[in-house]
PDB file of all heavy atoms in Angstrom:
ATOM      1  N   GLU L 229      15.365   2.509 -16.681  1.00  0.00           N
ATOM      2  CA  GLU L 229      14.526   1.529 -17.384  1.00  0.00           C
ATOM      3  C   GLU L 229      14.181   0.334 -16.508  1.00  0.00           C
ATOM      4  O   GLU L 229      13.306  -0.483 -16.864  1.00  0.00           O
ATOM      5  CB  GLU L 229      15.266   1.024 -18.609  1.00  0.00           C
ATOM      6  CG  GLU L 229      15.534   2.076 -19.667  1.00  0.00           C
ATOM      7  CD  GLU L 229      14.260   2.540 -20.364  1.00  0.00           C
ATOM      8  OE1 GLU L 229      13.329   1.726 -20.479  1.00  0.00           O
ATOM      9  OE2 GLU L 229      14.184   3.705 -20.782  1.00  0.00           O
ATOM     10  N   ALA L 230      14.835   0.187 -15.361  1.00  0.00           N
ATOM     11  CA  ALA L 230      14.673  -1.013 -14.525  1.00  0.00           C
ATOM     12  C   ALA L 230      13.298  -1.102 -13.885  1.00  0.00           C
ATOM     13  O   ALA L 230      12.587  -0.097 -13.696  1.00  0.00           O
ATOM     14  CB  ALA L 230      15.753  -1.025 -13.433  1.00  0.00           C
ATOM     15  N   ASP L 231      12.899  -2.329 -13.513  1.00  0.00           N
ATOM     16  CA  ASP L 231      11.685  -2.509 -12.752  1.00  0.00           C
ATOM     17  C   ASP L 231      11.812  -1.857 -11.386  1.00  0.00           C
ATOM     18  O   ASP L 231      12.926  -1.760 -10.831  1.00  0.00           O
ATOM     19  CB  ASP L 231      11.414  -4.008 -12.557  1.00  0.00           C
ATOM     20  CG  ASP L 231      11.157  -4.726 -13.881  1.00  0.00           C
ATOM     21  OD1 ASP L 231      10.715  -4.074 -14.843  1.00  0.00           O
ATOM     22  OD2 ASP L 231      11.366  -5.947 -13.952  1.00  0.00           O
ATOM     23  N   LYS L 232      10.684  -1.408 -10.860  1.00  0.00           N
ATOM     24  CA  LYS L 232      10.646  -0.794  -9.528  1.00  0.00           C
ATOM     25  C   LYS L 232       9.695  -1.565  -8.634  1.00  0.00           C
ATOM     26  O   LYS L 232       8.740  -2.194  -9.122  1.00  0.00           O
ATOM     27  CB  LYS L 232      10.174   0.687  -9.644  1.00  0.00           C
ATOM     28  CG  LYS L 232      10.905   1.550 -10.668  1.00  0.00           C
ATOM     29  CD  LYS L 232      12.348   1.754 -10.339  1.00  0.00           C
ATOM     30  CE  LYS L 232      13.021   2.800 -11.196  1.00  0.00           C
ATOM     31  NZ  LYS L 232      12.960   2.536 -12.648  1.00  0.00           N
ATOM     32  N   THR L 233       9.956  -1.485  -7.337  1.00  0.00           N
ATOM     33  CA  THR L 233       9.071  -2.135  -6.340  1.00  0.00           C
ATOM     34  C   THR L 233       8.567  -1.107  -5.353  1.00  0.00           C
ATOM     35  O   THR L 233       9.344  -0.232  -4.903  1.00  0.00           O
ATOM     36  CB  THR L 233       9.796  -3.251  -5.583  1.00  0.00           C
ATOM     37  OG1 THR L 233      10.240  -4.253  -6.517  1.00  0.00           O
ATOM     38  CG2 THR L 233       8.876  -3.927  -4.564  1.00  0.00           C
ATOM     39  N   TYR L 234       7.271  -1.136  -5.064  1.00  0.00           N
ATOM     40  CA  TYR L 234       6.645  -0.147  -4.199  1.00  0.00           C
ATOM     41  C   TYR L 234       5.796  -0.828  -3.131  1.00  0.00           C
ATOM     42  O   TYR L 234       5.275  -1.938  -3.351  1.00  0.00           O
ATOM     43  CB  TYR L 234       5.720   0.766  -4.987  1.00  0.00           C
ATOM     44  CG  TYR L 234       6.411   1.560  -6.066  1.00  0.00           C
ATOM     45  CD1 TYR L 234       6.504   1.089  -7.383  1.00  0.00           C
ATOM     46  CD2 TYR L 234       6.954   2.827  -5.801  1.00  0.00           C
ATOM     47  CE1 TYR L 234       7.106   1.830  -8.376  1.00  0.00           C
ATOM     48  CE2 TYR L 234       7.564   3.563  -6.769  1.00  0.00           C
ATOM     49  CZ  TYR L 234       7.645   3.069  -8.057  1.00  0.00           C
ATOM     50  OH  TYR L 234       8.269   3.821  -9.054  1.00  0.00           O
ATOM     51  N   LEU L 235       5.649  -0.170  -2.003  1.00  0.00           N
ATOM     52  CA  LEU L 235       4.664  -0.530  -0.999  1.00  0.00           C
ATOM     53  C   LEU L 235       3.603   0.587  -1.060  1.00  0.00           C
ATOM     54  O   LEU L 235       3.904   1.753  -0.775  1.00  0.00           O
ATOM     55  CB  LEU L 235       5.272  -0.630   0.392  1.00  0.00           C
ATOM     56  CG  LEU L 235       4.302  -1.056   1.505  1.00  0.00           C
ATOM     57  CD1 LEU L 235       3.744  -2.437   1.215  1.00  0.00           C
ATOM     58  CD2 LEU L 235       4.968  -1.024   2.850  1.00  0.00           C
ATOM     59  N   ALA L 236       2.396   0.234  -1.471  1.00  0.00           N
ATOM     60  CA  ALA L 236       1.338   1.201  -1.678  1.00  0.00           C
ATOM     61  C   ALA L 236       0.218   0.976  -0.696  1.00  0.00           C
ATOM     62  O   ALA L 236      -0.275  -0.141  -0.511  1.00  0.00           O
ATOM     63  CB  ALA L 236       0.773   1.092  -3.099  1.00  0.00           C
ATOM     64  N   GLN L 237      -0.222   2.059  -0.011  1.00  0.00           N
ATOM     65  CA  GLN L 237      -1.401   2.020   0.824  1.00  0.00           C
ATOM     66  C   GLN L 237      -2.546   2.681   0.080  1.00  0.00           C
ATOM     67  O   GLN L 237      -2.396   3.776  -0.475  1.00  0.00           O
ATOM     68  CB  GLN L 237      -1.166   2.719   2.149  1.00  0.00           C
ATOM     69  CG  GLN L 237      -0.168   2.008   3.068  1.00  0.00           C
ATOM     70  CD  GLN L 237      -0.139   2.621   4.458  1.00  0.00           C
ATOM     71  OE1 GLN L 237      -1.160   3.098   4.974  1.00  0.00           O
ATOM     72  NE2 GLN L 237       1.019   2.610   5.068  1.00  0.00           N
ATOM     73  N   ILE L 238      -3.683   2.015   0.020  1.00  0.00           N
ATOM     74  CA  ILE L 238      -4.838   2.458  -0.748  1.00  0.00           C
ATOM     75  C   ILE L 238      -6.032   2.636   0.176  1.00  0.00           C
ATOM     76  O   ILE L 238      -6.294   1.797   1.041  1.00  0.00           O
ATOM     77  CB  ILE L 238      -5.173   1.450  -1.865  1.00  0.00           C
ATOM     78  CG1 ILE L 238      -4.013   1.389  -2.872  1.00  0.00           C
ATOM     79  CG2 ILE L 238      -6.470   1.809  -2.557  1.00  0.00           C
ATOM     80  CD1 ILE L 238      -4.134   0.293  -3.903  1.00  0.00           C
ATOM     81  N   LYS L 239      -6.728   3.779  -0.002  1.00  0.00           N
ATOM     82  CA  LYS L 239      -7.913   4.070   0.776  1.00  0.00           C
ATOM     83  C   LYS L 239      -9.132   3.859  -0.103  1.00  0.00           C
ATOM     84  O   LYS L 239      -9.278   4.506  -1.155  1.00  0.00           O
ATOM     85  CB  LYS L 239      -7.870   5.516   1.273  1.00  0.00           C
ATOM     86  CG  LYS L 239      -9.204   6.047   1.778  1.00  0.00           C
ATOM     87  CD  LYS L 239      -9.273   6.078   3.245  1.00  0.00           C
ATOM     88  CE  LYS L 239     -10.498   6.838   3.712  1.00  0.00           C
ATOM     89  NZ  LYS L 239     -11.288   6.061   4.655  1.00  0.00           N
ATOM     90  N   LEU L 240      -9.998   2.936   0.279  1.00  0.00           N
ATOM     91  CA  LEU L 240     -11.206   2.674  -0.470  1.00  0.00           C
ATOM     92  C   LEU L 240     -12.322   3.657  -0.063  1.00  0.00           C
ATOM     93  O   LEU L 240     -12.320   4.185   1.043  1.00  0.00           O
ATOM     94  CB  LEU L 240     -11.662   1.252  -0.223  1.00  0.00           C
ATOM     95  CG  LEU L 240     -10.699   0.128  -0.572  1.00  0.00           C
ATOM     96  CD1 LEU L 240     -11.291  -1.237  -0.178  1.00  0.00           C
ATOM     97  CD2 LEU L 240     -10.323   0.143  -2.035  1.00  0.00           C
ATOM     98  N   GLY L 241     -13.260   3.862  -0.961  1.00  0.00           N
ATOM     99  CA  GLY L 241     -14.438   4.658  -0.665  1.00  0.00           C
ATOM    100  C   GLY L 241     -14.312   6.136  -0.924  1.00  0.00           C
ATOM    101  O   GLY L 241     -15.280   6.882  -0.795  1.00  0.00           O
ATOM    102  N   VAL L 242     -13.123   6.610  -1.308  1.00  0.00           N
ATOM    103  CA  VAL L 242     -12.880   8.034  -1.569  1.00  0.00           C
ATOM    104  C   VAL L 242     -12.149   8.191  -2.887  1.00  0.00           C
ATOM    105  O   VAL L 242     -11.022   7.699  -3.030  1.00  0.00           O
ATOM    106  CB  VAL L 242     -12.116   8.719  -0.441  1.00  0.00           C
ATOM    107  CG1 VAL L 242     -11.894  10.209  -0.742  1.00  0.00           C
ATOM    108  CG2 VAL L 242     -12.801   8.549   0.915  1.00  0.00           C
ATOM    109  N   SER L 243     -12.763   8.850  -3.858  1.00  0.00           N
ATOM    110  CA  SER L 243     -12.129   9.158  -5.122  1.00  0.00           C
ATOM    111  C   SER L 243     -11.649  10.599  -5.133  1.00  0.00           C
ATOM    112  O   SER L 243     -12.359  11.489  -4.651  1.00  0.00           O
ATOM    113  CB  SER L 243     -13.117   8.958  -6.296  1.00  0.00           C
ATOM    114  OG  SER L 243     -13.613   7.638  -6.312  1.00  0.00           O
ATOM    115  N   THR L 244     -10.460  10.839  -5.645  1.00  0.00           N
ATOM    116  CA  THR L 244      -9.914  12.224  -5.690  1.00  0.00           C
ATOM    117  C   THR L 244      -9.512  12.578  -7.114  1.00  0.00           C
ATOM    118  O   THR L 244      -9.321  11.718  -7.968  1.00  0.00           O
ATOM    119  CB  THR L 244      -8.683  12.370  -4.759  1.00  0.00           C
ATOM    120  OG1 THR L 244      -7.560  11.690  -5.363  1.00  0.00           O
ATOM    121  CG2 THR L 244      -8.961  11.830  -3.362  1.00  0.00           C
ATOM    122  N   ALA L 245      -9.378  13.867  -7.347  1.00  0.00           N
ATOM    123  CA  ALA L 245      -9.033  14.376  -8.700  1.00  0.00           C
ATOM    124  C   ALA L 245      -7.685  13.899  -9.161  1.00  0.00           C
ATOM    125  O   ALA L 245      -7.467  13.705 -10.364  1.00  0.00           O
ATOM    126  CB  ALA L 245      -9.114  15.898  -8.690  1.00  0.00           C
ATOM    127  N   THR L 246      -6.742  13.702  -8.263  1.00  0.00           N
ATOM    128  CA  THR L 246      -5.403  13.327  -8.604  1.00  0.00           C
ATOM    129  C   THR L 246      -5.145  11.842  -8.412  1.00  0.00           C
ATOM    130  O   THR L 246      -4.040  11.372  -8.657  1.00  0.00           O
ATOM    131  CB  THR L 246      -4.369  14.118  -7.776  1.00  0.00           C
ATOM    132  OG1 THR L 246      -4.619  13.917  -6.403  1.00  0.00           O
ATOM    133  CG2 THR L 246      -4.449  15.603  -8.103  1.00  0.00           C
ATOM    134  N   ALA L 247      -6.122  11.118  -7.901  1.00  0.00           N
ATOM    135  CA  ALA L 247      -6.006   9.677  -7.564  1.00  0.00           C
ATOM    136  C   ALA L 247      -5.050   9.426  -6.412  1.00  0.00           C
ATOM    137  O   ALA L 247      -4.649   8.299  -6.166  1.00  0.00           O
ATOM    138  CB  ALA L 247      -5.610   8.829  -8.782  1.00  0.00           C
ATOM    139  N   ASP L 248      -4.687  10.520  -5.687  1.00  0.00           N
ATOM    140  CA  ASP L 248      -3.885  10.325  -4.466  1.00  0.00           C
ATOM    141  C   ASP L 248      -4.450  11.213  -3.348  1.00  0.00           C
ATOM    142  O   ASP L 248      -5.452  11.890  -3.554  1.00  0.00           O
ATOM    143  CB  ASP L 248      -2.404  10.592  -4.737  1.00  0.00           C
ATOM    144  CG  ASP L 248      -2.103  12.034  -5.157  1.00  0.00           C
ATOM    145  OD1 ASP L 248      -2.948  12.919  -4.943  1.00  0.00           O
ATOM    146  OD2 ASP L 248      -1.033  12.270  -5.743  1.00  0.00           O
ATOM    147  N   ALA L 249      -3.779  11.222  -2.233  1.00  0.00           N
ATOM    148  CA  ALA L 249      -4.290  11.905  -1.054  1.00  0.00           C
ATOM    149  C   ALA L 249      -4.232  13.422  -1.166  1.00  0.00           C
ATOM    150  O   ALA L 249      -4.842  14.118  -0.347  1.00  0.00           O
ATOM    151  CB  ALA L 249      -3.525  11.435   0.197  1.00  0.00           C
ATOM    152  N   GLU L 250      -3.498  13.928  -2.161  1.00  0.00           N
ATOM    153  CA  GLU L 250      -3.318  15.367  -2.307  1.00  0.00           C
ATOM    154  C   GLU L 250      -4.478  16.029  -3.056  1.00  0.00           C
ATOM    155  O   GLU L 250      -4.705  17.233  -2.927  1.00  0.00           O
ATOM    156  CB  GLU L 250      -2.025  15.644  -3.033  1.00  0.00           C
ATOM    157  CG  GLU L 250      -1.570  17.080  -2.989  1.00  0.00           C
ATOM    158  CD  GLU L 250      -0.180  17.249  -3.634  1.00  0.00           C
ATOM    159  OE1 GLU L 250       0.061  16.601  -4.672  1.00  0.00           O
ATOM    160  OE2 GLU L 250       0.638  17.992  -3.045  1.00  0.00           O
ATOM    161  N   GLY L 251      -5.264  15.251  -3.775  1.00  0.00           N
ATOM    162  CA  GLY L 251      -6.256  15.826  -4.661  1.00  0.00           C
ATOM    163  C   GLY L 251      -7.590  16.133  -4.004  1.00  0.00           C
ATOM    164  O   GLY L 251      -7.911  15.635  -2.922  1.00  0.00           O
ATOM    165  N   GLU L 252      -8.381  16.941  -4.693  1.00  0.00           N
ATOM    166  CA  GLU L 252      -9.722  17.288  -4.252  1.00  0.00           C
ATOM    167  C   GLU L 252     -10.585  16.022  -4.235  1.00  0.00           C
ATOM    168  O   GLU L 252     -10.551  15.208  -5.174  1.00  0.00           O
ATOM    169  CB  GLU L 252     -10.305  18.328  -5.184  1.00  0.00           C
ATOM    170  CG  GLU L 252     -11.752  18.684  -4.932  1.00  0.00           C
ATOM    171  CD  GLU L 252     -12.375  19.526  -6.040  1.00  0.00           C
ATOM    172  OE1 GLU L 252     -11.623  19.828  -6.988  1.00  0.00           O
ATOM    173  OE2 GLU L 252     -13.556  19.833  -5.933  1.00  0.00           O
ATOM    174  N   VAL L 253     -11.373  15.858  -3.186  1.00  0.00           N
ATOM    175  CA  VAL L 253     -12.273  14.725  -3.078  1.00  0.00           C
ATOM    176  C   VAL L 253     -13.417  14.910  -4.065  1.00  0.00           C
ATOM    177  O   VAL L 253     -14.097  15.946  -4.066  1.00  0.00           O
ATOM    178  CB  VAL L 253     -12.813  14.556  -1.655  1.00  0.00           C
ATOM    179  CG1 VAL L 253     -13.889  13.455  -1.618  1.00  0.00           C
ATOM    180  CG2 VAL L 253     -11.700  14.223  -0.701  1.00  0.00           C
ATOM    181  N   LEU L 254     -13.634  13.898  -4.946  1.00  0.00           N
ATOM    182  CA  LEU L 254     -14.684  13.983  -5.976  1.00  0.00           C
ATOM    183  C   LEU L 254     -15.927  13.230  -5.545  1.00  0.00           C
ATOM    184  O   LEU L 254     -17.051  13.619  -5.899  1.00  0.00           O
ATOM    185  CB  LEU L 254     -14.159  13.405  -7.281  1.00  0.00           C
ATOM    186  CG  LEU L 254     -12.947  14.119  -7.917  1.00  0.00           C
ATOM    187  CD1 LEU L 254     -12.558  13.390  -9.188  1.00  0.00           C
ATOM    188  CD2 LEU L 254     -13.239  15.568  -8.178  1.00  0.00           C
ATOM    189  N   ALA L 255     -15.757  12.131  -4.790  1.00  0.00           N
ATOM    190  CA  ALA L 255     -16.893  11.296  -4.400  1.00  0.00           C
ATOM    191  C   ALA L 255     -16.516  10.439  -3.213  1.00  0.00           C
ATOM    192  O   ALA L 255     -15.348  10.049  -3.065  1.00  0.00           O
ATOM    193  CB  ALA L 255     -17.354  10.437  -5.581  1.00  0.00           C
ATOM    194  N   THR L 256     -17.511  10.122  -2.402  1.00  0.00           N
ATOM    195  CA  THR L 256     -17.312   9.171  -1.307  1.00  0.00           C
ATOM    196  C   THR L 256     -18.445   8.126  -1.369  1.00  0.00           C
ATOM    197  O   THR L 256     -19.569   8.458  -1.709  1.00  0.00           O
ATOM    198  CB  THR L 256     -17.326   9.870   0.050  1.00  0.00           C
ATOM    199  OG1 THR L 256     -18.574  10.540   0.233  1.00  0.00           O
ATOM    200  CG2 THR L 256     -16.198  10.878   0.184  1.00  0.00           C
ATOM    201  N   LYS L 257     -18.103   6.892  -1.046  1.00  0.00           N
ATOM    202  CA  LYS L 257     -19.078   5.821  -1.012  1.00  0.00           C
ATOM    203  C   LYS L 257     -18.806   4.896   0.149  1.00  0.00           C
ATOM    204  O   LYS L 257     -17.648   4.778   0.588  1.00  0.00           O
ATOM    205  CB  LYS L 257     -19.022   5.033  -2.340  1.00  0.00           C
ATOM    206  CG  LYS L 257     -19.643   5.728  -3.534  1.00  0.00           C
ATOM    207  CD  LYS L 257     -19.730   4.767  -4.724  1.00  0.00           C
ATOM    208  CE  LYS L 257     -20.392   5.412  -5.923  1.00  0.00           C
ATOM    209  NZ  LYS L 257     -20.504   4.469  -7.070  1.00  0.00           N
ATOM    210  N   ALA L 258     -19.827   4.252   0.608  1.00  0.00           N
ATOM    211  CA  ALA L 258     -19.651   3.237   1.664  1.00  0.00           C
ATOM    212  C   ALA L 258     -18.835   2.061   1.092  1.00  0.00           C
ATOM    213  O   ALA L 258     -18.956   1.727  -0.080  1.00  0.00           O
ATOM    214  CB  ALA L 258     -21.015   2.752   2.129  1.00  0.00           C
ATOM    215  N   VAL L 259     -18.027   1.499   1.939  1.00  0.00           N
ATOM    216  CA  VAL L 259     -17.173   0.367   1.524  1.00  0.00           C
ATOM    217  C   VAL L 259     -17.724  -0.916   2.100  1.00  0.00           C
ATOM    218  O   VAL L 259     -17.788  -1.112   3.322  1.00  0.00           O
ATOM    219  CB  VAL L 259     -15.719   0.593   1.994  1.00  0.00           C
ATOM    220  CG1 VAL L 259     -14.862  -0.607   1.619  1.00  0.00           C
ATOM    221  CG2 VAL L 259     -15.144   1.860   1.423  1.00  0.00           C
ATOM    222  N   GLU L 260     -18.142  -1.780   1.206  1.00  0.00           N
ATOM    223  CA  GLU L 260     -18.632  -3.112   1.599  1.00  0.00           C
ATOM    224  C   GLU L 260     -17.930  -4.124   0.705  1.00  0.00           C
ATOM    225  O   GLU L 260     -18.534  -4.720  -0.185  1.00  0.00           O
ATOM    226  CB  GLU L 260     -20.162  -3.188   1.443  1.00  0.00           C
ATOM    227  CG  GLU L 260     -20.919  -2.194   2.348  1.00  0.00           C
ATOM    228  CD  GLU L 260     -22.393  -2.242   2.120  1.00  0.00           C
ATOM    229  OE1 GLU L 260     -22.860  -2.987   1.215  1.00  0.00           O
ATOM    230  OE2 GLU L 260     -23.141  -1.546   2.833  1.00  0.00           O
ATOM    231  N   VAL L 261     -16.673  -4.313   0.970  1.00  0.00           N
ATOM    232  CA  VAL L 261     -15.813  -5.159   0.156  1.00  0.00           C
ATOM    233  C   VAL L 261     -15.313  -6.312   1.016  1.00  0.00           C
ATOM    234  O   VAL L 261     -14.704  -6.104   2.068  1.00  0.00           O
ATOM    235  CB  VAL L 261     -14.622  -4.375  -0.440  1.00  0.00           C
ATOM    236  CG1 VAL L 261     -13.690  -5.306  -1.217  1.00  0.00           C
ATOM    237  CG2 VAL L 261     -15.106  -3.264  -1.347  1.00  0.00           C
ATOM    238  N   SER L 262     -15.525  -7.519   0.562  1.00  0.00           N
ATOM    239  CA  SER L 262     -15.028  -8.694   1.282  1.00  0.00           C
ATOM    240  C   SER L 262     -13.609  -9.025   0.814  1.00  0.00           C
ATOM    241  O   SER L 262     -13.146  -8.564  -0.238  1.00  0.00           O
ATOM    242  CB  SER L 262     -15.948  -9.887   1.025  1.00  0.00           C
ATOM    243  OG  SER L 262     -15.846 -10.310  -0.340  1.00  0.00           O
ATOM    244  N   ALA L 263     -12.935  -9.852   1.585  1.00  0.00           N
ATOM    245  CA  ALA L 263     -11.587 -10.307   1.214  1.00  0.00           C
ATOM    246  C   ALA L 263     -11.616 -11.057  -0.105  1.00  0.00           C
ATOM    247  O   ALA L 263     -10.698 -10.924  -0.935  1.00  0.00           O
ATOM    248  CB  ALA L 263     -11.018 -11.165   2.327  1.00  0.00           C
ATOM    249  N   GLU L 264     -12.696 -11.802  -0.350  1.00  0.00           N
ATOM    250  CA  GLU L 264     -12.825 -12.583  -1.577  1.00  0.00           C
ATOM    251  C   GLU L 264     -13.012 -11.639  -2.779  1.00  0.00           C
ATOM    252  O   GLU L 264     -12.442 -11.858  -3.837  1.00  0.00           O
ATOM    253  CB  GLU L 264     -14.005 -13.569  -1.472  1.00  0.00           C
ATOM    254  CG  GLU L 264     -13.820 -14.691  -0.489  1.00  0.00           C
ATOM    255  CD  GLU L 264     -13.916 -14.253   0.969  1.00  0.00           C
ATOM    256  OE1 GLU L 264     -14.529 -13.166   1.206  1.00  0.00           O
ATOM    257  OE2 GLU L 264     -13.430 -14.958   1.839  1.00  0.00           O
ATOM    258  N   GLN L 265     -13.823 -10.616  -2.594  1.00  0.00           N
ATOM    259  CA  GLN L 265     -14.037  -9.636  -3.691  1.00  0.00           C
ATOM    260  C   GLN L 265     -12.721  -8.891  -4.028  1.00  0.00           C
ATOM    261  O   GLN L 265     -12.403  -8.674  -5.190  1.00  0.00           O
ATOM    262  CB  GLN L 265     -15.122  -8.648  -3.284  1.00  0.00           C
ATOM    263  CG  GLN L 265     -16.533  -9.196  -3.272  1.00  0.00           C
ATOM    264  CD  GLN L 265     -17.529  -8.224  -2.679  1.00  0.00           C
ATOM    265  OE1 GLN L 265     -17.256  -7.575  -1.680  1.00  0.00           O
ATOM    266  NE2 GLN L 265     -18.684  -8.125  -3.333  1.00  0.00           N
ATOM    267  N   LEU L 266     -11.993  -8.536  -2.981  1.00  0.00           N
ATOM    268  CA  LEU L 266     -10.731  -7.839  -3.208  1.00  0.00           C
ATOM    269  C   LEU L 266      -9.743  -8.756  -3.937  1.00  0.00           C
ATOM    270  O   LEU L 266      -9.078  -8.329  -4.921  1.00  0.00           O
ATOM    271  CB  LEU L 266     -10.123  -7.409  -1.865  1.00  0.00           C
ATOM    272  CG  LEU L 266      -8.741  -6.732  -1.928  1.00  0.00           C
ATOM    273  CD1 LEU L 266      -8.812  -5.478  -2.827  1.00  0.00           C
ATOM    274  CD2 LEU L 266      -8.261  -6.374  -0.549  1.00  0.00           C
ATOM    275  N   ALA L 267      -9.621 -10.011  -3.526  1.00  0.00           N
ATOM    276  CA  ALA L 267      -8.694 -10.949  -4.167  1.00  0.00           C
ATOM    277  C   ALA L 267      -9.046 -11.129  -5.634  1.00  0.00           C
ATOM    278  O   ALA L 267      -8.176 -11.148  -6.524  1.00  0.00           O
ATOM    279  CB  ALA L 267      -8.717 -12.277  -3.438  1.00  0.00           C
ATOM    280  N   ALA L 268     -10.356 -11.199  -5.942  1.00  0.00           N
ATOM    281  CA  ALA L 268     -10.773 -11.376  -7.327  1.00  0.00           C
ATOM    282  C   ALA L 268     -10.453 -10.137  -8.148  1.00  0.00           C
ATOM    283  O   ALA L 268     -10.024 -10.228  -9.300  1.00  0.00           O
ATOM    284  CB  ALA L 268     -12.289 -11.682  -7.373  1.00  0.00           C
ATOM    285  N   ALA L 269     -10.645  -8.953  -7.582  1.00  0.00           N
ATOM    286  CA  ALA L 269     -10.358  -7.711  -8.290  1.00  0.00           C
ATOM    287  C   ALA L 269      -8.850  -7.555  -8.559  1.00  0.00           C
ATOM    288  O   ALA L 269      -8.449  -7.112  -9.600  1.00  0.00           O
ATOM    289  CB  ALA L 269     -10.886  -6.521  -7.504  1.00  0.00           C
ATOM    290  N   LEU L 270      -8.068  -7.898  -7.575  1.00  0.00           N
ATOM    291  CA  LEU L 270      -6.613  -7.735  -7.690  1.00  0.00           C
ATOM    292  C   LEU L 270      -6.041  -8.658  -8.804  1.00  0.00           C
ATOM    293  O   LEU L 270      -5.002  -8.325  -9.396  1.00  0.00           O
ATOM    294  CB  LEU L 270      -5.910  -8.057  -6.385  1.00  0.00           C
ATOM    295  CG  LEU L 270      -6.098  -7.033  -5.271  1.00  0.00           C
ATOM    296  CD1 LEU L 270      -5.470  -7.533  -3.985  1.00  0.00           C
ATOM    297  CD2 LEU L 270      -5.529  -5.668  -5.667  1.00  0.00           C
ATOM    298  N   HIS L 271      -6.694  -9.742  -9.055  1.00  0.00           N
ATOM    299  CA  HIS L 271      -6.186 -10.706 -10.061  1.00  0.00           C
ATOM    300  C   HIS L 271      -6.026 -10.019 -11.408  1.00  0.00           C
ATOM    301  O   HIS L 271      -5.096 -10.340 -12.204  1.00  0.00           O
ATOM    302  CB  HIS L 271      -7.118 -11.905 -10.166  1.00  0.00           C
ATOM    303  CG  HIS L 271      -6.660 -12.951 -11.136  1.00  0.00           C
ATOM    304  ND1 HIS L 271      -5.549 -13.758 -10.882  1.00  0.00           N
ATOM    305  CD2 HIS L 271      -7.106 -13.279 -12.375  1.00  0.00           C
ATOM    306  CE1 HIS L 271      -5.361 -14.568 -11.918  1.00  0.00           C
ATOM    307  NE2 HIS L 271      -6.304 -14.300 -12.836  1.00  0.00           N
TER     308      HIS L 271
END
């Protein structure tokens, strides 16, 4: 039941069926994300 802590690496621009690196690639897009846009999204 305890809280867990993770270090997660995320790849932008590629969507997969399983939402991880093991899944079939569903779509790819160019990545044009600024540090400010990322910070706002993470909030």
Side-chain angles (χ1 to χ4, degrees):
E229 296 290 331
D231 295 336
K232 309 295 191 301
T233 300
Y234 299 92
L235 183 62
Q237 291 189 34
I238 296 172
K239 165 103 169 128
L240 302 177
V242 180
S243 302
T244 72
T246 57
D248 62 19
E250 193 174 40
E252 174 190 359
V253 173
L254 300 178
T256 59
K257 285 189 177 181
V259 178
E260 298 177 356
V261 176
S262 68
E264 292 74 20
Q265 288 172 318
L266 177 60
L270 289 175
H271 182 71

